Amino acid sequence: MKRIKLLLMSLMVVLAASCTTEDLDPALDQNKDANGGITDVDNLYAVIKGAYSRMTASGYYGRDLIITNEVRTDNCFSNGNSGRFTTQAGFAYSNTTGFFWDEAYAVISSANLVINTDLTGLEGDMDYGRHLQGEAYAIRALVHFDLLKQYGQIHVTGGTNPGGIPYVTSYLSNESSQEELFPPRNTVEEVRAKIFEDLDMAYDLMEDTGDTNFFSKYAAKALEARVAVYFEMWDRAVDAAEDVIDNGGYSIVPAENYVASFGSDGGSNIIFELEFNSTDNQGINGLAYIYRTTGGGSYGDVQVLDEVADIFEPTDVRGLLDGENGILGYEGDMLRNMGKYPDNQGYDNVALLRYEELILNYAEALMETGGDALTQLNKIPANRGASLYTEATKENILLERRKELMFEGFRYDDLLRTGSDIEKTSIQQNFAATIPYGDSRLAWAIPLAEMDANSNMVQNKGY
C-alpha cells in the first residue's frame, strides 16, 4: 500500500547502547530502525540534536524559508544573477517548485519519536528526559506553525476546506492506523489550538537551561507570544511576553554592538538560535552566499530594493550609517544586506527568537489592549541610533518591525497577518503588479508528490 510521502519522511533511529551522543553525527543519526534503539535518556538527546540539524537545511532555516519570505515583499528581490529565487519572488511557484514540506515533516517525526517514548522504560535522568520531551513539544509547535503560515489558506479568499495542514502527532510504525498513514488536513483553528497545547506542554516540562542552541522554557513562551500576535490573541500575547521579560534575563543589544552581534554566537538578546557547525553549515547554499556577491565569489541573487535605504535615518545602525555599512551597504551600485549572516561559509548561527522581536510583539499586543505600548516600542530605536516615536500606532509598530527584523524572514508574515496587499512599489520587484490580499498565490501549493501519495489530501485553491 502506498504511504503518504509526508509520513515516509518519518525518521527511524537506532542508537546502539555502546554509543554516546558524541559518537553521533547529528545530520546522520536518524537512518535506521528505532525498534529497541532507544534505551537511554541520552539517546533522546541525540534525536533532538538530529531534529535541530534538519532545521538548518538550506531548504528550511538554512536559507529558503527566510529568503522566500523576503523576496516576496517590499524589502528584497531576485536579480537572477544565478537564476535563484526568481520563481519565488515572482509568485510563479507551482506544486512542483519545491519548498520545505519534506524537511519540516522530517523534523516533526523526530519530535514525535521523543514525545511518544515512554521514559519509564529508559535508563538515565528522568528529569532531563522530561526536559527533552518539552523541547520536542516546542519544536513540533514551531514547525507546524511554519507549515501553516506557508501552506495553510489563512489569507486566501474562498480557499479549499479544510484550509490548514496535517498536524502530525504520531511516530509511524507498521502498526500505525490508516488515518495516521494518510492524514487529512486539519482546519486552521485545529492547528492553532494544537500549537498552543504543545507550547503549554513544552513550558511545563522544560527548565531554563541558558543554552540558546536549544529550546528552553522561556523560548517556548517567546514563541507563544509570536503565535498569539499572529492570530490576534492579544491578551495571551501580553501574558506570554511578560513571562519572558520578567523571568528570562534577556536584554536588547545596544547600537554600538548591533552589527557585530550578527557575526557572533549567543548574546544577551538571543532566546533561541540554530547552531551552524561544520556539519550543518550550508556553504554556497547558505544565507550569506545568496545575500551578497562578496567580490564576485558568491551568488548574490537577493538584492535589496533601492527605496529601502530611505526608510532609515543616517544614524540608524540598521541602515547605511552615514554612508558606511551598517546592516545595509553597497556592492558597487547594488544595495545589499551586508550585516546579517556575514560569514560567507555559512557558519553564522541563525537566531529564530530574538528579544527585540519579543519586545515588538509585546508593544503591539499592549497597543491592542490599551497598555503602555509606546514605552516598549521606543526601546528599539533608542538602541539603534534612531529617533523615538511620539505615538504607538499600528503603522509605527509595523515600520519598526520592518527595520529591526529585515532580512530575517518576518516581513511577508507581517503583511499577511495584517491583511495587507503585497504591493508593487518598485520596478525591481519580480512580480508584475500588486497582489491583493486574498489571492490564492499567498499560500503555497501542497507538493504534487504529496497529493499523489495521500488520497485524503486536498490541494490549495489555484493549483
Side-chain angles (χ1 to χ4, degrees), residues 104-133:
Y105 278 108
V107 174
I108 290 168
S109 188
S110 290
N112 286 338
L113 178 56
V114 174
I115 290 168
N116 294 323
T117 295
D118 182 2
L119 295 180
T120 62
L122 303 184
E123 298 179 359
D125 185 339
M126 292 298 103
D127 289 338
Y128 183 48
R130 284 186 286 274
H131 175 85
L132 291 172
Q133 287 186 325

mmCIF file of all heavy atoms in Angstrom, residues 104-133:
data_model
loop_
_atom_site.group_PDB
_atom_site.id
_atom_site.type_symbol
_atom_site.label_atom_id
_atom_site.label_comp_id
_atom_site.label_asym_id
_atom_site.label_seq_id
_atom_site.Cartn_x
_atom_site.Cartn_y
_atom_site.Cartn_z
ATOM 1 N N ALA A 104 10.308 19.832 6.926
ATOM 2 C CA ALA A 104 9.500 20.140 8.106
ATOM 3 C C ALA A 104 8.920 18.882 8.730
ATOM 4 O O ALA A 104 8.998 18.686 9.954
ATOM 5 C CB ALA A 104 8.386 21.113 7.725
ATOM 6 N N TYR A 105 8.326 18.026 7.910
ATOM 7 C CA TYR A 105 7.713 16.830 8.484
ATOM 8 C C TYR A 105 8.756 15.817 8.965
ATOM 9 O O TYR A 105 8.468 15.000 9.844
ATOM 10 C CB TYR A 105 6.726 16.215 7.501
ATOM 11 C CG TYR A 105 5.382 16.922 7.542
ATOM 12 C CD1 TYR A 105 4.973 17.752 6.504
ATOM 13 C CD2 TYR A 105 4.549 16.805 8.653
ATOM 14 C CE1 TYR A 105 3.754 18.428 6.565
ATOM 15 C CE2 TYR A 105 3.339 17.479 8.720
ATOM 16 C CZ TYR A 105 2.944 18.284 7.682
ATOM 17 O OH TYR A 105 1.745 18.957 7.754
ATOM 18 N N ALA A 106 9.959 15.884 8.424
ATOM 19 C CA ALA A 106 11.040 15.062 8.963
ATOM 20 C C ALA A 106 11.404 15.514 10.370
ATOM 21 O O ALA A 106 11.635 14.691 11.273
ATOM 22 C CB ALA A 106 12.258 15.128 8.046
ATOM 23 N N VAL A 107 11.455 16.820 10.588
ATOM 24 C CA VAL A 107 11.720 17.350 11.930
ATOM 25 C C VAL A 107 10.601 16.948 12.883
ATOM 26 O O VAL A 107 10.846 16.526 14.028
ATOM 27 C CB VAL A 107 11.863 18.884 11.888
ATOM 28 C CG1 VAL A 107 11.993 19.448 13.301
ATOM 29 C CG2 VAL A 107 13.060 19.290 11.050
ATOM 30 N N ILE A 108 9.365 17.063 12.432
ATOM 31 C CA ILE A 108 8.221 16.689 13.263
ATOM 32 C C ILE A 108 8.291 15.223 13.658
ATOM 33 O O ILE A 108 7.970 14.851 14.796
ATOM 34 C CB ILE A 108 6.907 17.005 12.526
ATOM 35 C CG1 ILE A 108 6.704 18.524 12.446
ATOM 36 C CG2 ILE A 108 5.708 16.343 13.210
ATOM 37 C CD1 ILE A 108 5.613 18.959 11.498
ATOM 38 N N SER A 109 8.708 14.382 12.738
ATOM 39 C CA SER A 109 8.822 12.954 13.055
ATOM 40 C C SER A 109 9.832 12.705 14.166
ATOM 41 O O SER A 109 9.600 11.885 15.057
ATOM 42 C CB SER A 109 9.206 12.179 11.787
ATOM 43 O OG SER A 109 9.149 10.801 12.025
ATOM 44 N N SER A 110 10.956 13.410 14.121
ATOM 45 C CA SER A 110 11.931 13.293 15.212
ATOM 46 C C SER A 110 11.323 13.724 16.536
ATOM 47 O O SER A 110 11.502 13.063 17.562
ATOM 48 C CB SER A 110 13.153 14.169 14.904
ATOM 49 O OG SER A 110 13.901 13.663 13.846
ATOM 50 N N ALA A 111 10.609 14.849 16.508
ATOM 51 C CA ALA A 111 9.973 15.332 17.739
ATOM 52 C C ALA A 111 8.973 14.313 18.265
ATOM 53 O O ALA A 111 8.909 14.049 19.481
ATOM 54 C CB ALA A 111 9.286 16.674 17.478
ATOM 55 N N ASN A 112 8.207 13.720 17.364
ATOM 56 C CA ASN A 112 7.201 12.741 17.791
ATOM 57 C C ASN A 112 7.839 11.500 18.398
ATOM 58 O O ASN A 112 7.285 10.894 19.318
ATOM 59 C CB ASN A 112 6.314 12.354 16.611
ATOM 60 C CG ASN A 112 5.337 13.445 16.241
ATOM 61 O OD1 ASN A 112 5.016 14.301 17.062
ATOM 62 N ND2 ASN A 112 4.861 13.427 15.006
ATOM 63 N N LEU A 113 8.981 11.101 17.877
ATOM 64 C CA LEU A 113 9.668 9.940 18.449
ATOM 65 C C LEU A 113 10.035 10.208 19.906
ATOM 66 O O LEU A 113 9.849 9.358 20.781
ATOM 67 C CB LEU A 113 10.916 9.612 17.634
ATOM 68 C CG LEU A 113 11.770 8.448 18.141
ATOM 69 C CD1 LEU A 113 10.958 7.165 18.274
ATOM 70 C CD2 LEU A 113 12.966 8.225 17.219
ATOM 71 N N VAL A 114 10.526 11.411 20.184
ATOM 72 C CA VAL A 114 10.903 11.763 21.554
ATOM 73 C C VAL A 114 9.658 11.879 22.436
ATOM 74 O O VAL A 114 9.612 11.349 23.554
ATOM 75 C CB VAL A 114 11.698 13.078 21.563
ATOM 76 C CG1 VAL A 114 11.972 13.536 22.996
ATOM 77 C CG2 VAL A 114 13.010 12.912 20.810
ATOM 78 N N ILE A 115 8.634 12.559 21.937
ATOM 79 C CA ILE A 115 7.411 12.770 22.721
ATOM 80 C C ILE A 115 6.740 11.453 23.080
ATOM 81 O O ILE A 115 6.250 11.279 24.205
ATOM 82 C CB ILE A 115 6.436 13.675 21.935
ATOM 83 C CG1 ILE A 115 6.976 15.104 21.870
ATOM 84 C CG2 ILE A 115 5.039 13.672 22.563
ATOM 85 C CD1 ILE A 115 6.249 16.002 20.895
ATOM 86 N N ASN A 116 6.719 10.521 22.157
ATOM 87 C CA ASN A 116 5.983 9.269 22.344
ATOM 88 C C ASN A 116 6.792 8.161 22.997
ATOM 89 O O ASN A 116 6.305 7.038 23.153
ATOM 90 C CB ASN A 116 5.434 8.795 20.995
ATOM 91 C CG ASN A 116 4.381 9.743 20.436
ATOM 92 O OD1 ASN A 116 3.589 10.308 21.176
ATOM 93 N ND2 ASN A 116 4.393 9.940 19.129
ATOM 94 N N THR A 117 8.023 8.459 23.389
ATOM 95 C CA THR A 117 8.844 7.474 24.096
ATOM 96 C C THR A 117 8.441 7.422 25.576
ATOM 97 O O THR A 117 8.303 8.464 26.219
ATOM 98 C CB THR A 117 10.336 7.821 23.980
ATOM 99 O OG1 THR A 117 10.742 7.726 22.607
ATOM 100 C CG2 THR A 117 11.182 6.871 24.813
ATOM 101 N N ASP A 118 8.245 6.226 26.085
ATOM 102 C CA ASP A 118 7.917 6.022 27.497
ATOM 103 C C ASP A 118 9.190 6.133 28.319
ATOM 104 O O ASP A 118 10.063 5.262 28.263
ATOM 105 C CB ASP A 118 7.279 4.642 27.687
ATOM 106 C CG ASP A 118 6.872 4.383 29.130
ATOM 107 O OD1 ASP A 118 7.045 5.282 29.981
ATOM 108 O OD2 ASP A 118 6.392 3.264 29.404
ATOM 109 N N LEU A 119 9.316 7.207 29.080
ATOM 110 C CA LEU A 119 10.545 7.440 29.842
ATOM 111 C C LEU A 119 10.790 6.385 30.909
ATOM 112 O O LEU A 119 11.936 6.132 31.289
ATOM 113 C CB LEU A 119 10.504 8.827 30.491
ATOM 114 C CG LEU A 119 10.486 10.037 29.551
ATOM 115 C CD1 LEU A 119 10.438 11.321 30.376
ATOM 116 C CD2 LEU A 119 11.694 10.034 28.639
ATOM 117 N N THR A 120 9.713 5.789 31.398
ATOM 118 C CA THR A 120 9.887 4.811 32.490
ATOM 119 C C THR A 120 10.660 3.590 32.034
ATOM 120 O O THR A 120 11.173 2.842 32.870
ATOM 121 C CB THR A 120 8.525 4.382 33.047
ATOM 122 O OG1 THR A 120 7.756 3.729 32.014
ATOM 123 C CG2 THR A 120 7.750 5.584 33.574
ATOM 124 N N GLY A 121 10.741 3.363 30.747
ATOM 125 C CA GLY A 121 11.488 2.221 30.237
ATOM 126 C C GLY A 121 12.930 2.522 29.903
ATOM 127 O O GLY A 121 13.637 1.663 29.361
ATOM 128 N N LEU A 122 13.373 3.737 30.216
ATOM 129 C CA LEU A 122 14.729 4.140 29.857
ATOM 130 C C LEU A 122 15.637 4.248 31.074
ATOM 131 O O LEU A 122 15.168 4.451 32.193
ATOM 132 C CB LEU A 122 14.703 5.508 29.154
ATOM 133 C CG LEU A 122 13.842 5.655 27.906
ATOM 134 C CD1 LEU A 122 14.025 7.049 27.312
ATOM 135 C CD2 LEU A 122 14.164 4.581 26.880
ATOM 136 N N GLU A 123 16.903 4.156 30.834
ATOM 137 C CA GLU A 123 17.899 4.440 31.854
ATOM 138 C C GLU A 123 18.251 5.925 31.773
ATOM 139 O O GLU A 123 18.093 6.552 30.736
ATOM 140 C CB GLU A 123 19.153 3.594 31.633
ATOM 141 C CG GLU A 123 18.919 2.101 31.736
ATOM 142 C CD GLU A 123 20.184 1.310 31.485
ATOM 143 O OE1 GLU A 123 21.238 1.949 31.214
ATOM 144 O OE2 GLU A 123 20.126 0.072 31.544
ATOM 145 N N GLY A 124 18.719 6.466 32.902
ATOM 146 C CA GLY A 124 19.164 7.846 32.882
ATOM 147 C C GLY A 124 18.297 8.763 33.721
ATOM 148 O O GLY A 124 17.389 8.335 34.436
ATOM 149 N N ASP A 125 18.566 10.046 33.612
ATOM 150 C CA ASP A 125 17.936 11.084 34.414
ATOM 151 C C ASP A 125 16.534 11.368 33.872
ATOM 152 O O ASP A 125 16.368 11.911 32.779
ATOM 153 C CB ASP A 125 18.807 12.345 34.350
ATOM 154 C CG ASP A 125 18.321 13.468 35.256
ATOM 155 O OD1 ASP A 125 17.135 13.462 35.632
ATOM 156 O OD2 ASP A 125 19.133 14.353 35.580
ATOM 157 N N MET A 126 15.501 11.043 34.653
ATOM 158 C CA MET A 126 14.126 11.223 34.197
ATOM 159 C C MET A 126 13.754 12.700 34.079
ATOM 160 O O MET A 126 12.991 13.089 33.191
ATOM 161 C CB MET A 126 13.159 10.519 35.156
ATOM 162 C CG MET A 126 13.259 8.999 35.135
ATOM 163 S SD MET A 126 12.842 8.267 33.521
ATOM 164 C CE MET A 126 14.525 7.898 32.897
ATOM 165 N N ASP A 127 14.283 13.546 34.969
ATOM 166 C CA ASP A 127 14.008 14.974 34.856
ATOM 167 C C ASP A 127 14.550 15.522 33.544
ATOM 168 O O ASP A 127 13.894 16.333 32.869
ATOM 169 C CB ASP A 127 14.616 15.740 36.036
ATOM 170 C CG ASP A 127 13.881 15.485 37.345
ATOM 171 O OD1 ASP A 127 12.690 15.082 37.281
ATOM 172 O OD2 ASP A 127 14.479 15.685 38.413
ATOM 173 N N TYR A 128 15.737 15.101 33.189
ATOM 174 C CA TYR A 128 16.319 15.514 31.909
ATOM 175 C C TYR A 128 15.501 14.963 30.749
ATOM 176 O O TYR A 128 15.289 15.644 29.744
ATOM 177 C CB TYR A 128 17.767 15.036 31.827
ATOM 178 C CG TYR A 128 18.492 15.467 30.575
ATOM 179 C CD1 TYR A 128 18.452 16.790 30.137
ATOM 180 C CD2 TYR A 128 19.235 14.554 29.837
ATOM 181 C CE1 TYR A 128 19.122 17.185 29.001
ATOM 182 C CE2 TYR A 128 19.915 14.939 28.690
ATOM 183 C CZ TYR A 128 19.858 16.261 28.273
ATOM 184 O OH TYR A 128 20.519 16.649 27.140
ATOM 185 N N GLY A 129 15.018 13.753 30.882
ATOM 186 C CA GLY A 129 14.176 13.166 29.846
ATOM 187 C C GLY A 129 12.911 13.971 29.632
ATOM 188 O O GLY A 129 12.493 14.198 28.488
ATOM 189 N N ARG A 130 12.301 14.430 30.724
ATOM 190 C CA ARG A 130 11.096 15.257 30.597
ATOM 191 C C ARG A 130 11.433 16.596 29.941
ATOM 192 O O ARG A 130 10.650 17.120 29.135
ATOM 193 C CB ARG A 130 10.450 15.453 31.968
ATOM 194 C CG ARG A 130 9.682 14.227 32.454
ATOM 195 C CD ARG A 130 8.939 14.505 33.742
ATOM 196 N NE ARG A 130 9.835 14.562 34.879
ATOM 197 C CZ ARG A 130 10.227 13.509 35.585
ATOM 198 N NH1 ARG A 130 9.774 12.304 35.258
ATOM 199 N NH2 ARG A 130 11.040 13.643 36.617
ATOM 200 N N HIS A 131 12.589 17.149 30.279
ATOM 201 C CA HIS A 131 13.001 18.395 29.633
ATOM 202 C C HIS A 131 13.152 18.190 28.120
ATOM 203 O O HIS A 131 12.708 19.031 27.325
ATOM 204 C CB HIS A 131 14.324 18.890 30.223
ATOM 205 C CG HIS A 131 14.872 20.095 29.522
ATOM 206 N ND1 HIS A 131 14.494 21.374 29.842
ATOM 207 C CD2 HIS A 131 15.753 20.200 28.485
ATOM 208 C CE1 HIS A 131 15.117 22.230 29.043
ATOM 209 N NE2 HIS A 131 15.889 21.544 28.213
ATOM 210 N N LEU A 132 13.770 17.092 27.723
ATOM 211 C CA LEU A 132 13.942 16.809 26.301
ATOM 212 C C LEU A 132 12.596 16.639 25.600
ATOM 213 O O LEU A 132 12.417 17.084 24.462
ATOM 214 C CB LEU A 132 14.794 15.555 26.115
ATOM 215 C CG LEU A 132 16.273 15.690 26.507
ATOM 216 C CD1 LEU A 132 16.958 14.320 26.463
ATOM 217 C CD2 LEU A 132 16.997 16.675 25.594
ATOM 218 N N GLN A 133 11.662 16.011 26.290
ATOM 219 C CA GLN A 133 10.323 15.913 25.698
ATOM 220 C C GLN A 133 9.682 17.293 25.576
ATOM 221 O O GLN A 133 8.967 17.563 24.602
ATOM 222 C CB GLN A 133 9.450 14.970 26.532
ATOM 223 C CG GLN A 133 9.834 13.507 26.372
ATOM 224 C CD GLN A 133 8.896 12.557 27.073
ATOM 225 O OE1 GLN A 133 8.368 12.859 28.148
ATOM 226 N NE2 GLN A 133 8.683 11.385 26.478
#
